[in-house]
Structure formats: structure tokens, C-alpha cells
Amino acid sequence: MVEIRFHSMERRKSMLKVGAVILAAGMSTRMGKPKLLLPLNGQPLFKYALKATVDVSLQPIVLIAGHYIEEIRHYTHDLEDIEIIYNQNYANGMASSLKLGIQAVKKDVDAVMVFLADQPLVSKSIVQLLIDHYKAHKHEGIRIVRSKYKEDLGHPILFDAELFNEFDSIDGDQGGKEIIKKYTQLTKIISFDNQMWGMDVDTPEDYLKMKKYFDLELYT
């Protein structure tokens, strides 16, 4: 009987469906130009976050775009399983994009992972580890799994479907911070030693630093 229950639990874990929401509607104010389209090792910057979701086979994958949606569509025309949604209220902040993303996936998933499109070093292995911890600890009450890069909490962040209604009340640029604060006891933090992995590219200095990191990785 114990063995039957064990296999039943393992089946339920494997059947949990995790989708992705990629936030790509920012105005690039500090960069002074559309940062997500900047070239990085032959690819526009935003495609690295997108690649991580595809490599782990998250479904559905929804990308929320703003002013530069046509350019983003151009660079993703070869990807069949990506839904790109226009946020007409992109100037109102991250919350408006999060709401659109959650609304688009909530009927189809057990959880969603939220990505920032300006974080090119979030890899397949990071994403998979967060999902594995969610599946392993959901039965213990864990409903949020968040990454941490040395001392810095960051993205991606996984939210269980039980919390989707909480997104209805967020606004501005707060994102999911208030939700995480409210459900701290249900949150699991996964730590990584490399602080660069969690870096987002906001300024010209950030972009230069990221380019140097990519060049170093290529030749070492």
C-alpha cells in the first residue's frame, strides 16, 4: 500500500503544469533606447529569457509586450508556441503586464513562473531547479518559489494557481512583492552562488557589464 501511494504522489508531481509569463513591456527609461532589442552575442537581449522557458518546455508561454511589440514579433516569428500579448497600459507599470499574463494562463496551469525579459543569464538549469522544488514541496504547503543570487532576491518567481486571484489587487510597479510579503510562510527561496545570473540590464553600464561577461564566458 505504501508503494502504491508513493507512485500516486510521484504521478501527481509529474502532471503539474507550469506556464511562463515573460514581462517585456518596459519603457527602457534608464537605458535611453529599447534595451530588450540590444544585441547580445548575436541575439536581441530578450530572447535569452524566452529561450530558458522554451528549453524547459513550459506551457503556455506568454510574453507581454508594449511599445516595441512589432519588433519583438519580428524576432520571434520562428517560434510557434509563444503567445505575444500587447499591453496597451504598459506605461502604468509592471502590475498591468502581470495581470494580463496571469489572466492569459490561469485556466491552463497549476502554477506560473514570472520572468523579466531583461535578465539574459537565467538558464534552463535555474528554471528547472525552481520547478523541481515546487513539485517536491507543494504538498507541504509551498505556494511560491523564488530565486536568490547571493544576497539579492530576484526572478524568476513561481506562483501557485491558488494565488492567482491575489494579482487582481496589485498596481503600479510593485509586481508581486506584496503577494510574496503576504505569503512569506508559504515561500521557498532557492539560492545560487553567482550574483550575475540574477542581473537585469537597466542602464548602459549594465549592458556593457553584461557584454563583457558574455565575452568572458565565450573565451574561457
Side-chain angles (χ1 to χ4, degrees), residues 141-146 157-170 176-189:
I142 293 299
R143 295 297 180 264
I144 300 172
V145 182
R146 186 174 196 183
I157 306 172
L158 184 148
F159 294 92
D160 185 86
E162 289 182 14
L163 303 181
F164 286 174
N165 287 340
E166 298 284 342
F167 286 89
D168 294 341
S169 59
I170 64 174
K177 290 179 182 178
E178 290 302 313
I179 300 172
I180 296 169
K181 184 178 179 181
K182 182 177 179 179
Y183 293 98
T184 300
Q185 298 303 314
L186 307 183
T187 300
K188 189 170 186 62
I189 305 296

Side-chain angles (χ1 to χ4, degrees), residues 1-11:
M1 292 297 292
V2 173
E3 184 176 358
I4 292 174
R5 287 199 298 269
F6 173 78
H7 287 304
S8 177
M9 181 178 292
E10 288 303 307
R11 258 196 314 275

Side-chain angles (χ1 to χ4, degrees), residues 26-41:
M27 299 173 67
S28 302
T29 305
R30 282 182 281 175
M31 184 66 71
K33 52 187 171 182
K35 63 181 179 180
L36 299 185
L37 306 178
L38 292 173
L40 197 58
N41 194 27

Side-chain angles (χ1 to χ4, degrees), residues 40-52 119-120 122 214:
L40 197 58
N41 194 27
Q43 294 283 343
L45 191 150
F46 80 92
K47 285 202 77 173
Y48 290 92
L50 190 54
K51 183 178 186 300
Q119 288 186 318
V122 172
F214 267 77

Side-chain angles (χ1 to χ4, degrees), residues 171-202:
D171 56 25
D173 263 326
Q174 66 175 320
K177 290 179 182 178
E178 290 302 313
I179 300 172
I180 296 169
K181 184 178 179 181
K182 182 177 179 179
Y183 293 98
T184 300
Q185 298 303 314
L186 307 183
T187 300
K188 189 170 186 62
I189 305 296
I190 309 301
S191 297
F192 301 94
D193 291 333
N194 192 328
Q195 196 166 23
M196 280 293 294
W197 289 351
M199 180 181 175
D200 51 344
V201 178
D202 288 324

